[in-house]
Amino acid sequence: MPDTAMRAGDIFSLINQVSGGIGYSLLPGWVRAFSSRIERLPLDARYGSHQQITVLMLSSRERDPNLLALAAACRLYGRGGRATGS
């Protein structure tokens, strides 16, 4: 059981506490986009995790240009590419 000295109510408060040197925390990889002051130390491979995300849509909207763009971005991201949006 970890010894917790402080808790944050939201991820952004936690990011600010960690980047301010108040403590350490396990944070998801996407937080690096919000703070360049966080030193990121990767977990050992045995502690890593993977996530599978599924996008569902109505078959009547399968040709919707916005949904096609979303599906393409998801496929790109799933292959390790970088999806950018406007």
Side-chain angles (χ1 to χ4, degrees):
M1 192 62 148
D3 187 16
T4 304
M6 182 183 287
R7 290 180 187 242
D10 62 277
I11 189 74
F12 298 105
S13 295
L14 186 57
I15 290 169
N16 287 330
Q17 290 174 357
V18 170
S19 66
I22 294 173
Y24 297 93
S25 180
L26 290 173
L27 296 169
W30 57 263
V31 301
R32 71 179 146 234
F34 294 97
S35 178
S36 59
R37 299 182 322 175
I38 292 177
E39 181 181 355
R40 200 166 162 263
L41 302 172
L43 292 174
D44 188 279
R46 63 187 164 171
Y47 299 113
S49 67
H50 296 280
Q51 193 174 35
Q52 182 174 346
I53 300 173
T54 304
V55 177
L56 301 173
M57 63 185 84
L58 294 171
S59 60
S60 62
R61 295 192 62 201
E62 66 185 351
R63 297 288 171 220
D64 181 312
N66 293 321
L67 295 177
L68 288 171
L70 172 63
C74 290
R75 281 193 289 281
L76 177 66
Y77 185 79
R79 288 189 207 115
R82 182 171 177 179
T84 58
S86 53

